């Protein structure tokens, strides 16, 4: 939809509306995406799929949201104690991990620290942000987001707007590196740059290797010697992890628990975990981070039956930010708190529900009820019963005005990817962000896989 104004949707952000008015008033000559399109790093990550402008977060809005995300993070980290007698293994089993995966996660949980780091994927429904998923991991996509900010600032109208409103952005990669330093302090050498191997499985590296090599190169900006490799390239002479003749201080993990069901990958991981347990190698982040970022743990927070675990402040946060989410089980509570037959509920509310596997990432395996016929929907939900799947209530994102590159405005529906880091930073735990935008209001998931375009986020101002 392309219009010269956006009359049907009230502006969520006064900054976004003000930027559009500036362009309309002063003209919008030039290409705001030109510098992004010239960046080899950004073209590798996103081809030519860039929004014609950024998204904006007002200062007070951001502070409220980051506070809520830290509350949710704390609740997720406390699940073993609140619901499973302190057992990480029991929580792993409850979210559907195989025994072999649970054993690896339990081993990892006994080593080093685990500090807040993750990306929240959110829609704004007009009343507030709603948390769809919380990716708690070191294997975070979108690490190049600050490069989009820098490229967009080469567009003079945006640079002037950002300066006038005293807006800023966070470099997510910098936050990730600082968290790595803190978690792996015992393995960071004094007097020289640490050697950090950015590692994925052999199978995954064949696909994402070029992007991870960029990641490793960018680590030099933060005083780190980065090497990108797969698990099979690491050797262990004298028990020390070595890649291409370089002794490694820290492994920056990009593989996921779902990758470790492959016996070859699991065997290649074994000497790595042994080296970590012996203290000769840092692992960032610990494998149990994935446990707290599992979609099933959000269902535990959402479930009506567990509300007695949380105090009034925690419950208010969950009610504010978390959509109704339930494990796919024969019986569950509906959004009103009544116990119902879940399959019947799913049939009757097909167009308001989305089915998600708890053990996959990147939008894989997700079925949006409004995109399939009733027979397929019923079959998918029935097949998921008692398995590692959740049903989540549909969140309808409000349309937001964006420059269309031709002097007008088009309405887009945004998936906000906002990063959480440790508290105590200037923004008290906000670690940057980016957005993915779609013009289709019925899209199942706004993602690069569904054709979305990508943009950066600026924050600040007094709204």
């Amino acid at each position: 939809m392309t219009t010269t104004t956006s009359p049907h949707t009230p502006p969520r952000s006064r900054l976004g509306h003000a930027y559009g008015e500036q362009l309309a008033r002063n003209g919008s000559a030039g290409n705001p995406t030109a510098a992004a399109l010239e960046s080899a790093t950004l073209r590798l990550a996103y081809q030519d799929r860039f929004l014609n402008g950024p998204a904006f977060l007002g200062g007070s809005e951001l502070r409220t949201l980051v506070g809520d995300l830290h509350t949710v993070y704390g609740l997720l980290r406390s699940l073993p104690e609140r619901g499973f007698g302190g057992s990480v293994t029991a929580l792993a089993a409850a979210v559907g991990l195989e025994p072999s995966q649970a054993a690896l996660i339990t081993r990892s949980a006994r080593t080093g620290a685990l500090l807040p780091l993750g990306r929240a994927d959110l829609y704004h429904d007009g009343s507030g942000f709603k948390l769809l998923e919380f990716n708690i991991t070191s294997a975070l996509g979108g690490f190049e987001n600050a490069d989009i900010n820098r490229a967009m600032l080469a567009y003079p109208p945006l640079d002037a707007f950002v300066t006038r409103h005293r807006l800023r952005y966070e470099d997510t990669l910098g936050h990730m590196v600082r968290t790595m330093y803190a978690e792996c302090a015992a393995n960071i050498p004094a007097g020289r740059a640490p050697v950090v191997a950015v590692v994925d499985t052999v199978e995954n590296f064949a696909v994402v290797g070029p992007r991870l090599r960029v990641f490793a190169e960018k680590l030099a900006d933060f005083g780190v010697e980065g090497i990108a490799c797969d698990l099979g390239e690491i050797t262990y002479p004298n028990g020390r992890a070595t890649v291409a003749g370089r002794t490694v201080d820290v492994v920056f993990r990009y593989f996921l628990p779902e990758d470790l069901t492959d016996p070859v990958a699991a065997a290649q991981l074994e000497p790595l975990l042994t080296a970590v347990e012996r203290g000769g190698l840092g692992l960032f982040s610990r494998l149990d981070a994935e446990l707290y970022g599992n979609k099933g743990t959000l269902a535990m927070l959402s479930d009506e039956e567990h509300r007695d675990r949380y105090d009034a402040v925690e419950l208010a946060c969950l009610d504010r930010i978390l959509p109704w989410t339930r494990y796919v089980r024969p019986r569950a509570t509906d959004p009103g708190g009544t116990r119902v037959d879940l399959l019947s509920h799913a049939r009757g509310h097909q167009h308001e529900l989305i089915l998600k596997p708890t053990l996959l990432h990147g939008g894989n395996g997700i079925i949006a009820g409004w995109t399939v016929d009733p027979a397929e929907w019923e079959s998918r939900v029935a097949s998921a019963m008692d398995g590692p799947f959740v049903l989540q209530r549909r969140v309808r994102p409000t349309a937001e005005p964006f420059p269309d590159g031709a002097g007008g405005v088009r309405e887009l529906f945004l998936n906000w990817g906002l990063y959480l880091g440790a508290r105590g930073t200037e923004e008290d735990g906000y670690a940057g962000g980016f957005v993915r935008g779609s013009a289709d209001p019925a899209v199942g998931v706004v993602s690069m896989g569904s054709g979305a375009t990508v943009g950066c986020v600026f924050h600040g101002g007094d709204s």
Side-chain angles (χ1 to χ4, degrees):
M1 177 176 181
T2 300
T3 61
T4 55
T5 61
S6 182
H8 305 297
T9 305
R12 183 202 59 79
S13 166
R14 71 166 185 84
L15 291 167
H17 222 59
Y19 180 56
E21 290 173 349
Q22 173 191 288
L23 292 180
R25 183 172 58 250
N26 299 330
S28 54
N31 181 1
T33 67
L37 293 171
E38 292 172 0
S39 165
T41 294
L42 293 177
R43 284 188 62 84
L44 174 64
Y46 306 113
Q47 293 84 50
D48 58 353
R49 293 160 60 181
F50 299 102
L51 295 169
N52 284 303
F56 300 98
L57 279 172
S60 60
E61 179 181 43
L62 178 62
R63 286 188 291 273
T64 298
L65 176 58
V66 171
D68 280 348
L69 291 176
H70 270 286
T71 296
V72 173
Y73 178 86
L75 293 175
L76 291 169
R77 290 282 281 116
S78 72
L79 280 174
E81 290 71 33
R82 296 198 191 209
F84 297 91
S87 172
V88 174
T89 301
L91 176 58
V95 300
L97 292 182
E98 296 182 3
S100 61
Q101 294 172 304
L104 292 172
I105 278 178
T106 303
R107 284 176 65 183
S108 184
R110 295 193 291 263
T111 62
L114 185 60
L115 300 176
L117 180 69
R119 190 190 74 230
D121 288 346
L122 310 111
Y123 286 169
H124 198 290
D125 68 357
S127 64
F129 281 102
K130 304 300 180 186
L131 177 63
L132 309 178
E133 298 181 12
F134 206 162
N135 303 281
I136 298 174
T137 179
S138 54
L140 293 170
F143 62 84
E144 312 93 339
N145 59 61
D147 287 341
I148 307 178
N149 290 87
R150 288 186 279 266
M152 287 288 180
L153 287 174
Y155 182 54
L158 177 60
D159 183 57
F161 183 83
V162 166
T163 299
R164 182 165 61 257
H165 290 274
R166 299 181 180 178
L167 304 180
R168 52 199 181 277
Y169 64 92
E170 294 292 309
D171 190 327
T172 296
L173 183 54
H175 283 271
M176 295 168 74
V177 172
R178 285 190 289 275
T179 306
M180 179 196 73
Y181 266 82
E183 287 193 8
C184 301
N187 299 98
I188 302 296
R192 67 167 174 83
V195 178
V196 175
V198 184
V199 180
D200 210 329
T201 63
V202 174
E203 182 177 359
N204 289 346
F205 196 83
V207 178
V208 302
R211 201 166 173 188
L212 294 188
R213 290 189 183 97
V214 169
F215 186 104
E217 292 171 1
K218 289 175 73 66
L219 291 177
D221 295 338
F222 304 95
V224 174
E225 182 182 342
I227 304 172
C229 67
D230 62 53
L231 275 171
E233 294 180 80
I234 308 176
T235 59
Y236 300 88
N238 301 316
R240 295 298 305 272
T242 302
V243 177
R246 297 288 290 149
T247 299
V248 174
D249 300 304
V250 175
V251 162
F252 200 119
R253 176 181 62 81
Y254 256 79
F255 51 85
L256 305 170
E258 66 203 56
D259 301 320
L260 304 178
T261 55
D262 173 23
V264 174
Q268 291 169 337
L269 178 66
E270 180 61 34
L272 189 155
L273 287 182
T274 298
V276 171
E277 290 166 336
R278 291 175 176 171
L281 180 67
L283 177 62
F284 177 70
S285 59
R286 289 180 350 195
L287 279 165
D288 63 308
E290 311 291 339
L291 182 59
Y292 307 110
N294 185 285
K295 299 179 188 69
T297 55
L298 290 183
M300 293 177 189
L301 296 187
S302 171
D303 200 319
E304 192 82 21
E305 296 183 356
H306 302 320
R307 289 178 71 86
D308 60 352
R309 298 176 181 177
Y310 316 117
D311 63 29
V313 172
E314 293 166 341
L315 287 172
C317 171
L318 293 177
D319 290 342
R320 188 164 51 242
I321 197 171
L322 194 59
W324 179 90
T325 309
R326 294 293 185 273
Y327 270 107
V328 181
R329 300 292 184 264
R331 304 282 293 176
T333 53
D334 68 11
T338 302
R339 287 191 64 80
V340 295
D341 177 89
L342 193 62
L343 183 57
S344 295
H345 179 79
R347 282 198 300 262
H349 298 83
Q350 174 180 344
H351 292 277
E352 297 302 321
L353 295 172
I354 186 166
L355 179 68
K356 297 181 176 183
T358 64
L359 302 180
L360 297 179
H361 294 76
N364 292 317
I366 290 177
I367 302 294
W370 58 97
T371 66
V372 296
D373 64 59
E376 180 179 355
W377 174 248
E378 181 172 2
S379 174
R380 293 293 189 114
V381 176
S383 298
M385 194 65 65
D386 291 321
F389 290 84
V390 298
L391 279 171
Q392 188 173 80
R393 192 173 189 175
R394 179 182 186 179
V395 179
R396 297 175 184 269
T398 56
E400 304 212 22
F402 268 78
D404 65 2
V409 172
R410 63 172 177 163
E411 292 182 341
L412 295 177
F413 303 90
L414 300 184
N415 185 341
W416 295 76
L418 301 181
Y419 296 82
L420 196 71
R423 286 192 181 275
T425 61
E426 180 184 354
E427 302 302 332
D428 203 24
Y430 174 59
F434 73 121
V435 293
R436 289 142 290 178
S438 172
D440 180 6
V443 66
V445 179
V446 179
S447 67
M448 298 301 289
S450 65
T453 45
V454 66
C456 57
V457 176
F458 286 95
H459 68 276
D462 55 6
S463 65

